[in-house]
Amino acid sequence: MRQKKPSFFQGISFQLAKIGIILAILLSFFISAIQVYIDYLAQSKELDQLIYRVAEVATPPAARAVHTLDADLANEVVNGLLTYDFIYQVAIWDERGNVLAQADKALTESDVTWMGGLFTHDDASYSSDLIVAGYEQMVAGKISFTVDRDRALENFYRRSEINFFVSSFRSLILVVLLFVAFYFKLTKPLVQLSHEINEIDPDRPGAKRLTTLKSHKADELGTVINSSNQILDVIELSLAKRRVIEQALRTSEEHLRQIVDSLPVFIGARNADGYYLFANKALAEMLGHTPEDMRNVHISDLLKSSVLDVDTVIRGDARVINNGEEIDVAEESFVSASGEQLYLQTHMMPLQYYEEVVCLVVSMDVTERKLAQAKMEHMAHHDALTGLPNRLQLVERLEHEARRAVRHGYFGAVLFIDLDKFKNINDSLGHPVGDSVLQEVSSRLQSAVREEDLVARLSGDEFVVVLTVLDHNQEVAALKAGEVGEKIRALISQAFIHEDMELRITCSVGVVVYPEKNNVVHELLRYADTAMYQVKEKGRDAIEFFNEDMADKVSRQLVMEGELHRALEEEQFVLYFQPKVDVQSGAIVGAEALLRWFHPEQGIISPFEFIPVLETSGLIIEVGQWVLEQACDVVQKWSKAGLWHKGMQLSLNISPRQFRRDSFASDVIKTIEQYNLPDQTLDMEITEGIVIQQIEEAIETITLLTQNGISFSLDDFGTGYSSISYLKRLPVTTLKIDKSFIRDIIDDRNDRVLVETIVTMGRLLGLGLVAEGVENSAQLDIIKSYGCHYYQGFYFSPPVPADQFIALLEKRPSK
């Protein structure tokens, strides 16, 4: 029977809109009422102060009028008070209680008195003793006046009335917009789905399938449609098979046997005592017998290995035989004679078999469908690669655990884990190796926690661990969470073996303890993620707990951003220069310009603090242009003074945001043309991370600038991707070996091998080689023996101001 299409007012959108309107009106009314009441208190206080000042001004002349019995002066005071809109009755008495002057005025009705009635019910009367000047404590009389508080607060009532209705209208508009969104996103697809379901022919359910909605393929509605289509197909198949069986029952027993035996379903007939009188071939083989062997065999002898309860089966048969019932078992678990786990969809019905009524049992193997549904359900809640719970299951489980923690008064923790530099493995060894590492990481994470804890994979190389029931004390719970985090770090840092190759990675872990301040699940995940990124900023491979200081850090960064704007305007920036020295001759062949910030109050601020803020705020574009112009200007001055010779280069560090800007190349070309610098005077240092993500665009930019006389160096080489495949394509002229390799080159054989390899590769590619961070003669001797061309470092000179660098040039002539 087709159901009647629900009316618009019965739809979900209307119901949600109705609830939303009610809640919005109530909330708007409540908030507005509170605001109006607060404003009313403030206005009342101001009114009382005004009345006090009015009384203070009126009292002296009133006192003189009473003392001198000057009725004219008294009337003048009374009339003066009545000029105020909110005062409508005034009287002055002498010391004997006689009225010296008195007046009042009619009140006009205000259209906002209804609101005034909510706050004030009676007019306020004020009186004051009249003290004669020069006669201490001598009361000459009294003055009193009555105030219409509604008239005094009329403007306030009007503003409150307007604000109240505007707030209510805004809430109503919001609900209407939500209603429209719900209608097009949910109600309209459901109406279409309901209409198509009503159009399904009950006799041929598989003939017409539900239309797949393109915009809902990946959500729950798409899953419902796909599952419904599968069910329709299964029902269609089941009905077809049932018709075949009914047709076979109308033929002879032999013909029935042939047909039934050919069916891919399990068919059997049992009497009231539990003995099989009939079984088709499929059922017999599934139970490890032949159809002939199963006749007059008791069910208890056939279902010994089955998970079915024999007594339950016999009771079900009795219901069918004695009461004429038909029983459908949508799904039952069954173990075959071979030990195979099957899932059956069974129909039991009474059948007149010769001279007795028996229970005819028809079962269809739905194991594949069951496994497919289980797989689909698993896929919906688990990560396909690692088998770990995905974000959907993580959120559901964490919500449950947070509520349970609040209810029972204990604390748990959320650990946000990100693998450090995992992209290097994918890029250098391929995604199959990366997938293998992720699978091993998931296994190690599971081994590091208890069974009641949860390990989930969010995406890429991000994992989340939910630790439950740590302790009733928050500090102890945090300590235990930290211990688990350290255990995880230790496990992750162990070597991964792949085809005799030893791979090592580390992880950064952010931790937040729950519950705290009724934080919702997404806030907990965001806090843990924030803590993890704090680890990234501090150098990776560590644990960080989320705390209020992290929120404060964001505020500090905003403050610093404002100070950096001021620093650029007030010229607080300055360039330092670190010499670049020829390894063989010791001559200065150039320098690297480094940005320094001298804060007027805090002194010099480390570049590690302000450079990231420049980058994230976008101010790096303006500061980078300032650095370029200052560098061009100083080189031009040194050249005119004969200190900067042909062949010397000044290196500038270029940030990712600068380099990827569309107008970067044109701005640089315009600047160097303005200063008319010789070719190859400026060298721009870029990192591997800048070019690897958009290598074609990077090559185009570098090539254009190279054609205009600017050379490029690859900075921090060896710490990033270090892929020869893109290195040979980039039009760079120099490789700068990162100081992390030079620092331990004396004691660490691996660093020596890496540096020697980089130098050899660079020389074979015809590239210049610069070693950074050379701090002693032993390090210099090693890189000299490898054939490195140039070096920088404290061994020769740290970065120095321009005047000190000039002194170095004069003392140690360039090459």
Side-chain angles (χ1 to χ4, degrees):
M1 180 178 178
R2 297 181 180 178
Q3 296 183 354
K4 182 181 179 181
K5 181 179 179 180
S7 67
F8 173 79
F9 297 101
Q10 294 175 319
I12 295 176
S13 296
F14 179 78
Q15 298 298 323
L16 290 174
K18 181 172 67 175
I19 295 173
I21 290 173
I22 294 174
L23 292 178
I25 291 174
L26 291 177
L27 182 61
S28 175
F29 177 81
F30 180 72
I31 294 176
S32 299
I34 292 177
Q35 183 62 49
V36 168
Y37 182 70
I38 294 174
D39 292 345
Y40 167 74
L41 294 180
Q43 291 291 328
S44 295
K45 184 175 181 180
E46 292 180 4
L47 177 60
D48 291 340
Q49 292 175 350
L50 175 61
I51 293 172
Y52 174 79
R53 290 195 298 270
V54 169
E56 190 177 40
V57 171
T59 298
R64 289 195 303 272
V66 171
H67 182 65
T68 60
L69 297 178
D70 188 345
D72 293 335
L73 178 59
N75 286 322
E76 184 178 346
V77 172
V78 169
N79 293 330
L81 288 176
L82 289 177
T83 59
Y84 290 94
D85 292 342
F86 51 86
I87 298 177
Y88 65 91
Q89 286 183 350
V90 183
I92 298 176
W93 292 272
D94 59 17
E95 69 274 13
R96 296 180 180 179
N98 298 319
V99 176
L100 183 62
Q102 179 176 338
D104 57 17
K105 64 181 178 182
L107 295 177
T108 58
E109 185 69 21
S110 173
D111 56 356
V112 291
T113 53
W114 66 272
M115 181 172 288
L118 298 176
F119 300 102
T120 58
H121 302 286
D122 299 315
D123 296 333
S125 295
Y126 297 85
S127 63
S128 176
D129 292 334
L130 301 177
I131 308 297
V132 179
Y135 297 89
E136 186 177 357
Q137 302 300 327
M138 178 180 176
V139 178
K142 184 171 67 172
I143 183 172
S144 69
F145 54 90
T146 304
V147 174
D148 183 357
R149 296 184 67 87
D150 284 346
R151 172 62 62 183
L153 297 174
E154 182 176 3
N155 289 335
F156 160 71
Y157 293 152
R158 294 186 185 278
R159 291 197 306 272
S160 299
E161 185 179 45
I162 293 173
N163 291 338
F164 179 81
F165 286 109
V166 169
S167 176
S168 300
F169 181 72
R170 181 176 62 244
S171 299
L172 184 61
I173 291 297
L174 176 61
V175 172
V176 171
L177 293 177
L178 289 175
F179 166 74
V180 173
F182 274 115
Y183 175 77
F184 284 102
K185 191 65 180 176
L186 182 61
T187 306
K188 188 175 181 180
L190 285 177
V191 170
Q192 179 182 341
L193 180 60
S194 174
H195 177 72
E196 292 187 359
I197 291 175
N198 285 333
E199 293 298 322
I200 293 175
D201 185 355
D203 296 327
R204 299 181 61 198
K208 185 174 183 180
R209 300 172 63 87
L210 301 179
T211 304
T212 301
L213 303 175
K214 293 183 179 180
S215 60
H216 294 275
K217 284 185 177 180
D219 59 19
E220 293 84 352
L221 194 56
T223 302
V224 169
I225 292 174
N226 291 334
S227 299
S228 299
N229 285 331
Q230 292 178 2
I231 293 173
L232 290 175
D233 292 339
V234 171
I235 294 174
E236 178 75 15
L237 179 61
S238 177
L239 291 175
K241 293 176 180 178
R242 181 172 178 177
R243 294 189 189 100
V244 172
I245 296 174
E246 292 174 349
Q247 181 63 32
L249 291 175
R250 289 191 288 268
T251 65
S252 64
E253 183 179 355
E254 186 60 32
H255 192 201
L256 175 63
R257 165 67 69 181
Q258 295 175 359
I259 296 175
V260 171
D261 282 345
S262 65
L263 292 175
V265 293
F266 308 120
I267 302 175
R270 299 188 292 260
N271 63 15
D273 296 326
Y275 288 91
Y276 269 95
L277 303 180
F278 167 82
N280 72 342
K281 185 178 180 180
L283 178 60
E285 290 180 349
M286 190 262 288
L287 294 175
H289 293 77
T290 64
E292 291 75 17
D293 293 340
M294 287 187 58
R295 291 179 181 173
N296 298 318
V297 176
H298 196 267
I299 188 174
S300 60
D301 298 325
L302 294 172
L303 304 181
K304 291 179 180 179
S305 61
S306 173
V307 296
L308 297 176
D309 180 75
V310 174
D311 293 336
T312 301
V313 174
I314 292 177
R315 285 196 297 270
D317 291 350
R319 288 172 53 195
V320 173
I321 295 170
N322 298 329
N323 302 331
E325 297 182 27
E326 291 191 16
I327 300 175
D328 282 309
V329 181
E331 185 181 291
E332 58 182 342
S333 181
F334 193 88
V335 178
S336 67
S338 62
E340 182 182 3
Q341 175 72 57
L342 302 177
Y343 294 93
L344 305 179
Q345 181 177 322
T346 302
H347 182 73
M348 303 167 63
M349 68 184 78
L351 174 69
Q352 187 70 36
Y353 190 77
Y354 295 104
E355 297 180 356
E356 63 177 325
V357 178
V358 298
C359 178
L360 178 66
V361 181
V362 180
S363 299
M364 181 173 61
D365 186 357
V366 294
T367 304
E368 291 186 3
R369 187 188 72 187
K370 172 69 175 178
L371 296 178
Q373 290 177 341
K375 184 177 181 180
M376 289 177 62
E377 183 176 353
H378 185 272
M379 290 174 62
H381 291 82
H382 292 79
D383 173 55
L385 176 63
T386 62
L388 294 176
N390 58 12
R391 179 183 291 272
L392 179 62
Q393 186 176 353
L394 168 65
V395 171
E396 293 176 354
R397 176 74 180 276
L398 187 52
E399 286 178 344
H400 171 74
E401 292 299 337
R403 289 194 299 268
R404 193 159 68 105
V406 172
R407 186 165 57 252
H408 296 289
Y410 64 78
F411 292 91
V414 178
L415 281 63
F416 198 105
I417 302 162
D418 183 87
L419 304 182
D420 299 327
K421 297 184 178 180
F422 174 75
K423 191 175 187 298
N424 293 352
I425 295 178
N426 271 342
D427 292 343
S428 58
L429 301 178
H431 288 282
V433 178
D435 290 346
S436 176
V437 170
L438 290 176
Q439 290 171 336
E440 178 62 23
V441 167
S442 68
S443 176
R444 293 184 185 183
L445 289 176
Q446 289 174 303
S447 67
V449 300
R450 305 162 298 178
E451 289 186 5
E452 59 267 29
D453 297 326
L454 176 68
V455 179
R457 181 189 179 203
L458 289 188
S459 62
D461 57 352
E462 294 180 337
F463 296 84
V464 171
V465 173
V466 179
L467 302 177
T468 64
V469 196
L470 290 177
D471 199 271
H472 289 278
N473 181 280
Q474 188 173 16
E475 294 182 358
V476 176
L479 180 62
K480 291 181 178 180
E483 292 173 350
V484 175
E486 290 294 347
K487 182 179 179 181
I488 288 173
R489 284 184 57 230
L491 286 173
I492 298 299
S493 62
Q494 294 177 7
F496 295 83
I497 307 301
H498 176 74
E499 296 181 355
D500 298 329
M501 182 187 302
E502 187 176 284
L503 305 176
R504 291 186 180 273
I505 59 174
T506 58
C507 64
S508 301
V509 183
V511 185
V512 61
V513 176
Y514 70 88
E516 183 178 7
K517 299 180 180 179
N518 296 322
N519 295 128
V520 298
V521 168
H522 295 290
E523 287 179 333
L524 292 175
L525 293 175
R526 178 164 57 84
Y527 292 160
D529 184 40
T530 300
M532 183 274 294
Y533 272 104
Q534 292 296 314
V535 179
K536 293 285 188 184
E537 292 181 2
K538 294 180 181 178
R540 303 182 176 88
D541 190 22
I543 295 177
E544 186 80 32
F545 278 80
F546 178 83
N547 52 55
E548 297 298 331
D549 293 338
M550 294 184 181
D552 294 339
K553 181 178 180 182
V554 176
S555 299
R556 289 196 299 271
Q557 287 180 338
L558 293 175
V559 172
M560 180 176 285
E561 183 178 335
E563 292 180 338
L564 286 169
H565 279 279
R566 193 160 50 251
L568 183 60
E569 295 171 356
E570 298 177 0
E571 299 182 354
Q572 297 174 11
F573 291 119
V574 67
L575 288 185
Y576 271 40
F577 303 89
Q578 185 170 39
K580 186 189 299 181
V581 185
D582 187 281
V583 169
Q584 299 298 328
S585 66
I588 297 175
V589 297
E592 179 180 357
L594 299 169
L595 183 65
R596 295 294 183 264
W597 178 19
F598 286 91
H599 194 281
E601 298 175 358
Q602 303 176 29
I604 189 167
I605 297 179
S606 170
F608 294 104
E609 292 185 36
F610 72 83
I611 292 295
V613 179
L614 287 175
E615 182 74 25
T616 56
S617 66
L619 191 59
I620 192 69
I621 304 298
E622 297 179 55
V623 175
Q625 180 63 27
W626 179 87
V627 170
L628 176 62
E629 293 175 358
Q630 290 295 311
C632 292
D633 182 66
V634 75
V635 168
Q636 189 181 62
K637 291 178 180 178
W638 289 345
S639 297
K640 291 180 179 179
L643 299 173
W644 195 267
H645 305 295
K646 184 177 181 180
M648 296 179 68
Q649 286 187 325
L650 183 62
S651 299
L652 306 177
N653 291 288
I654 304 300
S655 78
R657 196 158 187 167
Q658 278 181 279
F659 187 83
R660 296 191 182 114
R661 194 163 54 98
D662 293 338
S663 61
F664 171 69
S666 60
D667 289 346
V668 171
I669 294 172
K670 186 184 301 182
T671 303
I672 60 176
E673 289 177 349
Q674 178 184 346
Y675 286 91
N676 195 25
L677 296 181
D679 288 350
Q680 306 303 316
T681 299
L682 289 184
D683 178 74
M684 293 191 170
E685 297 185 5
I686 57 176
T687 61
E688 300 169 76
I690 291 180
V691 299
I692 191 62
Q693 295 181 359
Q694 297 177 328
I695 188 167
E696 298 301 333
E697 291 82 353
I699 292 175
E700 182 179 348
T701 300
I702 295 174
T703 301
L704 177 59
L705 290 175
T706 301
Q707 293 170 352
N708 284 271
I710 296 177
S711 63
F712 278 82
S713 298
L714 206 54
D715 197 12
D716 299 337
F717 188 77
T719 61
Y721 306 94
S722 305
S723 172
I724 301 177
S725 63
Y726 74 79
L727 179 59
K728 66 181 182 180
R729 298 178 58 196
L730 290 173
V732 297
T733 59
T734 305
L735 296 183
K736 299 195 72 174
I737 304 171
D738 188 69
K739 60 185 177 183
S740 62
F741 299 122
I742 305 299
R743 181 177 56 245
D744 300 323
I745 195 172
I746 300 174
D747 304 317
D748 193 325
R749 178 180 177 277
N750 291 333
D751 282 346
R752 290 198 298 274
V753 171
L754 285 171
V755 172
E756 184 177 12
T757 302
I758 293 172
V759 171
T760 302
M761 179 183 65
R763 294 179 71 90
L764 290 174
L765 293 173
L767 300 174
L769 294 149
V770 181
E772 297 181 295
V774 176
E775 298 182 353
N776 53 60
S777 59
Q779 294 173 340
L780 179 59
D781 292 339
I782 292 176
I783 65 171
K784 181 186 291 185
S785 67
Y786 291 159
C788 186
H789 302 115
Y790 314 107
Y791 76 92
Q792 294 176 227
F794 278 46
Y795 177 64
F796 185 87
S797 172
V800 294
D803 55 347
Q804 295 183 31
F805 182 72
I806 292 174
L808 289 175
L809 289 176
E810 294 173 341
K811 178 180 178 182
R812 200 158 184 175
S814 61
K815 186 175 177 180

